[in-house]
Amino acid sequence: MRKRKLIKNTVLYVFMTILAFLFLFPLIWMLVSSLKNEFQIFEDIGSIRAFLPPAAPEGGYFANYIAAFQRVDLFRYMVNSLVYTIGILLCGLVVNSMAGYALARFQFPLRHFWLAVIIATLIIPPESIFLPLYVLVYNLGWVNTYTGLIVPFVANAFSIFLFRQFFLDFPKEIEEAAKIDGCSQIGIFFKIIVPLSKPIFATVAIFTFINHWNDFLWPLVVATEDRMRTIQIGLQYFMNQPPIQWGQVMAALTVTTIPMLLIFIFLQRYYIQGLTHTGSKN
């Protein structure tokens, strides 16, 4: 039995390793191509050398990165995307976690109705509300501002639902003990609930960051000035400037991928815990 289990685990790990490499191949090819010149990229594309770094690239390994940052203001676009994404992330964690906690713990009229309404908004395509949303942002004078980029997307139905499901499984005895000690409801939430809910906060943070880091349409509509462009809009303008240098394009794409990889690497240990604790309670 032990030998059979060992063989089974070995086959499973080999299969998972192969699958992981298949998913990583596009990222590896993008990274390696960012180190090559145009001739090397197209010469190696049909062989295993497409996934191997060049021996001695012309101008050095970082020539494409330097040229990409000199061609357009990628640094400014990265900063705009970080402010936009982290602003939504931080504000969203506060607003959505408090909304989820209220739906999980507080007893108020039509509680289940409002939960159903929140969940129902998930079926509405965001693009269908962009026009009225833009009119509202324009009338408030928020066009080409971080406020106009961030505020409309702070509240998120899916995040509220994840928080609510997690808090349903949170032990009520801890909160009751805190109330006996004289702690207020706000104090209970921020001093007890939040520190003990790192998995769900990390899960929502990853979802929020990846979702809004890749946003294209809303920043395109609201950020019409070059100084406010996010990285996705900047990449579009970068690729539309002739001549297209694919090594520089791969370098720019590699740089824009780094923040998503970093946030997942640092929060991955909480990620699975958050997903597995979003409970089955109603």
Side-chain angles (χ1 to χ4, degrees), residues 71-82:
R71 192 170 180 181
V72 296
D73 196 358
L74 284 179
F75 179 77
R76 176 69 183 183
Y77 301 155
M78 289 280 289
V79 170
N80 288 338
S81 281
L82 286 172

Side-chain angles (χ1 to χ4, degrees), residues 66-191:
I66 296 172
F69 275 89
Q70 291 176 343
R71 192 170 180 181
V72 296
D73 196 358
L74 284 179
F75 179 77
R76 176 69 183 183
Y77 301 155
M78 289 280 289
V79 170
N80 288 338
S81 281
L82 286 172
V83 173
Y84 167 58
T85 307
I86 294 176
I88 293 176
L89 190 155
L90 295 179
C91 295
L93 287 179
V94 175
V95 171
N96 297 320
S97 63
M98 295 181 73
Y101 181 73
L103 290 168
R105 284 289 188 266
F106 297 165
Q107 301 295 326
F108 54 88
L110 302 176
R111 179 169 64 119
H112 294 291
F113 169 78
W114 291 118
L115 175 62
V117 170
I118 291 172
I119 295 175
T121 61
L122 291 172
I123 67 174
I124 302 175
E127 294 80 7
S128 66
I129 63 171
F130 274 6
L131 180 57
L133 195 59
Y134 176 79
V135 173
L136 177 62
V137 168
Y138 178 82
N139 290 332
L140 291 172
W142 290 353
V143 175
N144 288 311
T145 66
Y146 290 127
T147 306
L149 285 168
I150 294 170
V151 171
F153 297 98
V154 168
N156 182 272
F158 184 63
S159 298
I160 293 173
F161 176 74
L162 287 180
F163 276 117
R164 187 250 183 189
Q165 293 300 104
F166 182 90
F167 292 143
L168 283 175
D169 287 334
F170 199 90
K172 293 183 179 180
E173 293 78 7
I174 299 177
E175 299 172 61
E176 293 170 355
K179 289 180 181 178
I180 293 174
D181 290 339
C183 189
S184 65
Q185 194 67 57
I186 292 293
I188 290 173
F189 181 76
F190 285 104
K191 295 179 181 179

